Amino acid sequence: MAGGEGGGARVPECREHLFKVLVIGELGVGKTSIIKRYVHQLFSQHYRATIGVDFALKVIHWDSKTLVRLQLWDIAGQERFGNMTRVYYKEAVGAFVVFDVTRGSTFEAVSKWKHDLDSKVLLPNGSPIPAVLLANKCDQKKDGSQNPSQMDQFCKEGGFIGWFETSAKDNINIDEAARFLVENVLANYKSFPSEENDVSKLKLDPDPLRADSKSQCC
């Protein structure tokens, strides 16, 4: 009898989550460097542009009862193709959109990346997945005048949950930005049971593909 009660009351000691997070942005903004710094605590000036899609795994002991496995997907050299395939975005629950503060053109491209992201992956309730804007290479001289109040306004209008000045080289704000995003992902996860997630994926996937083929025909 006691054994039966214990069995019914047993709570998993540790909840494990696997979250897919995208790292997107123009070529050369430091996406791979950010991932390498966050996951491996390494920095190199000489990453060659990766071909294909690369991803790294970061295991976070979030609290005493929560283990988060963060799968960081590096867009890795696909930028030149413009719109990414839906396979890359599929099942992502969060994203970093990265630009290089030394190159104004990469900031101008941010809205394009955000729009592309929002058009391809959504939360089960139809909202965009949480996205954090990273103003990378903040250890270098800035090109342009993105001051904090302008950036706050830009994020508000563009649907970003927040932004951080980062430097993969000097390890500035990489961990803080990741923690902020994971907090938001976990908050969303608690709102949507996993069964609901699965159902929504099945419902959502076929339609966009048909829409794609239609647009190609046109």
Side-chain angles (χ1 to χ4, degrees):
M1 196 58 190
E5 284 172 10
R10 192 181 302 140
V11 176
E13 288 202 359
C14 185
R15 294 194 64 150
E16 289 195 23
H17 303 288
L18 178 64
F19 293 141
K20 176 178 175 178
V21 170
L22 310 176
V23 184
I24 57 178
E26 294 293 279
L27 185 66
V29 295
K31 298 183 298 293
T32 304
S33 296
I34 286 169
I35 292 171
K36 293 271 199 258
R37 168 61 81 183
Y38 180 55
V39 176
H40 306 295
Q41 293 304 312
L42 295 174
F43 178 77
S44 166
Q45 300 277 16
H46 308 293
Y47 293 125
R48 54 191 180 77
T50 326
I51 304 302
V53 169
D54 201 5
F55 68 84
L57 192 69
K58 172 83 167 181
V59 179
I60 309 163
H61 295 275
W62 188 258
D63 57 34
S64 60
K65 294 180 181 163
T66 315
L67 184 79
V68 173
R69 296 179 193 278
L70 210 56
Q71 213 180 48
L72 292 145
W73 285 56
D74 188 349
I75 186 176
Q78 299 287 331
E79 304 91 337
R80 67 182 74 88
F81 301 119
N83 282 5
M84 290 293 298
T85 62
R86 275 186 170 76
V87 175
Y88 176 75
Y89 285 103
K90 190 179 177 180
E91 295 177 23
V93 294
F96 292 112
V97 182
V98 189
F99 73 96
D100 176 351
V101 297
T102 70
R103 292 188 291 142
S105 60
T106 64
F107 177 68
E108 289 161 20
V110 161
S111 296
K112 173 197 78 175
W113 284 107
K114 182 69 165 70
H115 177 75
D116 195 38
L117 179 72
D118 293 347
S119 70
K120 292 191 171 72
V121 61
L122 296 169
L123 293 174
N125 68 352
S127 303
I129 64 172
V132 174
L133 182 62
L134 300 184
N136 196 37
K137 306 190 186 180
C138 69
D139 55 286
Q140 298 180 32
K141 189 174 184 301
K142 295 178 187 175
D143 169 23
S145 56
Q146 286 108 29
N147 66 44
S149 59
Q150 283 177 325
M151 290 293 286
D152 289 343
Q153 188 62 29
F154 177 81
C155 286
K156 195 174 169 185
E157 290 171 1
F160 289 93
I161 59 171
W163 68 281
F164 289 81
E165 282 195 324
T166 57
S167 166
K169 184 180 178 184
D170 292 347
N171 198 14
I172 297 168
N173 278 342
I174 305 290
D175 287 353
E176 290 81 356
R179 187 164 186 86
F180 179 69
L181 181 60
V182 173
E183 275 173 1
N184 279 272
V185 170
L186 279 168
N188 286 332
Y189 185 84
K190 285 167 186 161
S191 309
F192 309 123
S194 53
E195 302 81 40
E196 190 178 330
N197 276 328
D198 294 338
V199 169
S200 72
K201 279 172 206 156
L202 293 170
K203 281 192 297 202
L204 285 173
D205 274 347
D207 296 325
L209 293 171
R210 280 205 294 275
D212 274 358
S213 56
K214 273 185 211 156
S215 61
Q216 282 162 6
C217 295
C218 296

